[in-house]
Amino acid sequence: MAYFDAASTEPLHPRAREALTAALDTGWADPARLYGPARRARMLLEQARAEVAEVFGCRPDEVSFTASGTQAVHLGVLGVSRGRRRAGRRLVVSAVEHSSVLHAAQVHERDGGSVETVGVGRTGVVDLAAFGAAVRGESAEAGGDGGGGGGGTALACLQSANHEVGTLQPVAEAAALCAEAGVPLLVDAAQTAGRAPLPGGWSVLAASAHKWGGPAGVGVLAVRKGTRWRGPLPEDEREHRRVPGFENVPAIVAAAAALRAAAEESEQEGARLSALVDRIRTEVPRLVPDVEVIGEPVARAPHIVTFSCLYVEGEALLAELDKAGFSVSSGSSCTASTLRPSHVLEAMGVLTHGNVRVSLPRGTSTADVDRFLAVLPDIVRGIRADAGVKS
Amino acid sequence: MTSRHTAAQQAAQAPALTIDALGRKCPIPIIMLAEQIGHVPLNGVVAVLADDPAAFTDIPAWCRLKSHHHVGSHELPQGGWSIHVRRNY
């Protein structure tokens, strides 16, 4: 068995498991109370916050823990667009953002705001000039000032790397354009947090612990000082009044331990995984005819590679790979609950059927990758033959 | 406006072959296109009628990969598209 779906969720890091077990005994009390066990829980929580802040290069009091990465994105997008209501009602997003960003944008639109979606090139990199124009309100789409009032931009959102194809986005450059226009930038760092250093210049950061080897149920929302934020949910005193509900202290402690461990290992392990990804990117088109390898070949997340096989149904490919012992994911429409192809692949204008995303967790062995490369050609050939494709 | 539209329609090449892939899921419309593109003469146009949203992205992508020419995609009144491909070789 080889698990190649780290971009969905990374298996728990051993350091997270240790930290979790210990914190279940020591960090169970309510960190908001004023007695011994509560103080201990609070201390653990604040230590975890400081560790996370250090890895992300911000202040501890700028960090709030959420229930998930998705919740962090929702609160980040909606909180800043509410907080900056007077500055403007326009939200700028790239076309390949995670669905959590796009769904939050839909809520913003329903509340009377406007959303401008900036396109990407064939490899999934956002059109930076168009992004800048949208942020400044200069693009044709923004021209009408569609009743949002003010015509200004409340917030721009850009992922650090794409979750389906691994392409890195020009976050530093986008942050500079936003700073010049006085517009905050939300960076969805779910795919790179703990795997690659974060570019600076962001105003809001969202990330998810289970993607870096922490437990599920912990997200991170960081809001830099000076960024106006107004909560979209009923008020609650937890997490700097940003996130409602009782903190899961043991899970947060484990998430921080995993983040530190992953960040420490990332330079070496990232380079190792990246070399395996290079091998897949080179070998798949050599071994399998009619394949398109998708996304940026070099400026990419270290662990993600995506390709599409012509004349192959994505669902059949996933099933055959599963039988052969490989867990991978797909952006093909037949594998989606909506029966629509992935919006990322559509925006890039690349082949959406026969799509496979391989994302390598830490510790992936060369032997596993070799075995994958050994079984893939026959699997693809078999599915094509069943569909009556002459090769 | 009307005259330009008419001129454009006249300039557009009538398809030499129409493949009805309505109701078929990807990759079937593309498999049908790949099988049948050889049935039209060089520079001839094949129209693929498809309503799987994946076909809208995938047929132009297939053209790029296979060095054929995606002429254009037109919405059909009943839903779906007529996707025109010119045979290049």
Side-chain angles (χ1 to χ4, degrees), chain A residues 263-323:
Chain A
E264 279 165 23
E265 297 162 358
S266 67
E267 208 175 313
Q268 243 186 340
E269 183 62 1
R272 202 182 65 81
L273 295 179
S274 190
L276 292 175
V277 162
D278 276 336
R279 187 164 151 64
I280 297 172
R281 290 190 71 100
T282 319
E283 288 301 303
V284 166
R286 212 176 59 76
L287 298 167
V288 183
D290 288 327
V291 165
E292 181 176 32
V293 180
I294 288 161
E296 273 292 313
V298 179
R300 56 167 174 77
H303 60 305
I304 303 177
V305 47
T306 298
F307 55 87
S308 292
C309 308
L310 261 180
Y311 317 129
V312 169
E313 198 202 0
E315 196 176 9
L317 192 47
L318 247 54
E320 289 303 317
L321 284 169
D322 182 36
K323 270 194 239 163

Side-chain angles (χ1 to χ4, degrees), chain A residues 333 339-341 346 352, chain B residues 15 17-26 29 46-60 70 72-85:
Chain A
S333 52
L339 292 180
R340 280 198 65 89
E346 275 184 337
T352 71
Chain B
L17 173 70
T18 298
I19 298 171
D20 184 355
L22 292 167
R24 311 300 297 271
K25 297 283 171 214
C26 258
V46 179
V48 183
L49 310 183
D51 50 12
D52 181 2
F56 185 78
T57 306
D58 283 13
I59 291 178
H70 172 232
S73 301
H74 317 282
E75 271 184 49
L76 297 172
Q78 71 270 35
W81 304 268
S82 175
I83 306 169
H84 290 208
V85 175

Side-chain angles (χ1 to χ4, degrees), chain A residues 23-318:
Chain A
L24 284 169
D25 289 331
T26 53
W28 51 270
D30 183 346
R33 299 292 169 253
L34 300 174
Y35 39 75
R39 275 194 295 276
R40 206 161 56 214
R42 188 159 65 247
M43 202 196 69
L44 287 171
L45 176 61
E46 294 316 312
Q47 196 183 322
R49 198 186 309 282
E51 288 171 4
V52 167
E54 197 189 329
V55 173
F56 291 154
C58 62
R59 290 167 36 163
D61 60 356
E62 294 170 334
V63 171
S64 303
F65 292 107
T66 64
S68 65
T70 293
Q71 190 191 32
V73 166
H74 290 171
L75 291 172
V77 171
L78 297 176
V80 175
S81 44
R82 279 192 89 192
R84 285 179 45 85
R85 218 183 165 87
R86 289 203 183 129
R89 300 299 321 274
R90 184 187 311 112
L91 190 62
V92 175
V93 300
S94 92
V96 295
E97 293 303 304
H98 186 262
S99 57
S100 58
V101 173
L102 302 181
H103 289 153
Q106 282 170 5
V107 171
H108 173 73
E109 223 165 12
R110 279 205 293 276
D111 287 348
S114 67
V115 176
E116 199 168 334
T117 306
V118 180
V120 299
R122 184 81 69 215
T123 61
V125 180
V126 72
D127 180 340
L128 202 55
F131 195 83
V135 165
R136 292 187 299 271
E138 293 167 358
S139 57
E141 214 182 306
D145 182 19
T153 302
L155 175 69
C157 304
L158 187 62
Q159 60 199 185
S160 57
N162 185 267
H163 50 293
E164 285 185 38
V165 300
T167 296
L168 290 179
Q169 299 293 350
V171 168
E173 291 83 347
L177 290 171
C178 287
E180 224 168 273
V183 170
L185 177 69
L186 179 147
V187 173
D188 168 12
Q191 287 305 336
T192 59
R195 298 181 190 273
L198 262 182
W202 50 269
S203 300
V204 183
L205 181 92
S208 174
H210 73 90
K211 306 252 196 223
W212 69 61
V218 180
V220 171
L221 169 67
V223 181
R224 299 312 301 262
K225 286 274 169 278
T227 307
R228 290 186 69 93
W229 188 91
R230 201 165 149 241
L233 296 177
E235 195 157 310
D236 193 272
E237 77 272 19
R238 304 272 168 181
E239 292 300 295
H240 308 119
R241 298 181 180 274
R242 292 215 166 102
V243 188
F246 186 85
E247 298 93 341
N248 185 346
V249 175
I252 289 169
V253 168
L259 181 62
R260 274 183 54 177
E264 279 165 23
E265 297 162 358
S266 67
E267 208 175 313
Q268 243 186 340
E269 183 62 1
R272 202 182 65 81
L273 295 179
S274 190
L276 292 175
V277 162
D278 276 336
R279 187 164 151 64
I280 297 172
R281 290 190 71 100
T282 319
E283 288 301 303
V284 166
R286 212 176 59 76
L287 298 167
V288 183
D290 288 327
V291 165
E292 181 176 32
V293 180
I294 288 161
E296 273 292 313
V298 179
R300 56 167 174 77
H303 60 305
I304 303 177
V305 47
T306 298
F307 55 87
S308 292
C309 308
L310 261 180
Y311 317 129
V312 169
E313 198 202 0
E315 196 176 9
L317 192 47
L318 247 54

